[in-house]
Amino acid sequence: MARPANSGGQLRSRLHFQKRGATDDGYGNPVAGKFETVFTQRAQMIARNGTETVMAERLQGVQPYTVRIRHSTQAAEVTADWRIVDARKPGRVFAITAPPVNVDDENRWVEMMVAEGEPS
């Protein structure tokens, strides 16, 4: 029997969803701290057509992906200032370039656009 397009069998990646913690600058002012894992979830990574951007007068290829995860209360909290880290390859980091969207309006799936590399 064939699986539906959004079945759990396509959730082959395991991703850490991280946001910056707040820390004190020593003078009582909150400043952005290190990224901390909020939750880990299985996901489907869908490669999109790459783009080229000019950085420091050099062309650099940027590989965008659509990340599809199951809807949850944790997934609903993700914003574009978070980042995603591949749990199987911790050096592989993705910046969220477009905020998460509830794609089916039934709270089953959430998709977000990401690009490989650290958030700016």
Side-chain angles (χ1 to χ4, degrees):
M1 184 168 153
R3 289 188 169 128
N6 290 333
S7 75
Q10 294 185 12
L11 304 178
R12 294 185 180 103
S13 298
R14 187 170 160 81
L15 304 175
H16 297 302
F17 289 80
Q18 300 180 335
K19 72 175 181 177
R20 286 195 186 272
T23 186
D24 189 303
D25 68 355
Y27 298 98
N29 302 311
V31 293
K34 296 180 181 180
F35 278 100
E36 300 169 352
T37 298
V38 177
F39 66 98
T40 301
Q41 190 165 342
R42 296 187 60 78
Q44 180 181 11
M45 302 283 295
I46 305 162
R48 299 295 177 202
N49 289 336
T51 62
E52 291 184 350
T53 58
V54 177
M55 297 180 73
E57 297 182 16
R58 291 179 291 171
L59 284 176
Q60 293 186 342
V62 176
Q63 178 60 59
Y65 292 88
T66 297
V67 173
R68 179 180 293 144
I69 60 175
R70 292 187 189 277
H71 185 277
S72 68
T73 55
Q74 293 172 319
E77 294 177 15
V78 175
T79 62
D81 60 341
W82 290 37
R83 76 175 188 178
I84 298 172
V85 177
D86 189 327
R88 294 185 180 119
K89 298 176 189 172
R92 192 172 182 212
V93 178
F94 301 91
I96 299 173
T97 58
V101 175
N102 179 356
V103 293
D104 61 3
D105 289 328
E106 294 181 13
N107 291 333
R108 290 187 298 174
W109 300 99
V110 174
E111 287 184 359
M112 59 200 82
M113 293 296 297
V114 302
E116 199 159 355
E118 287 286 337
S120 51

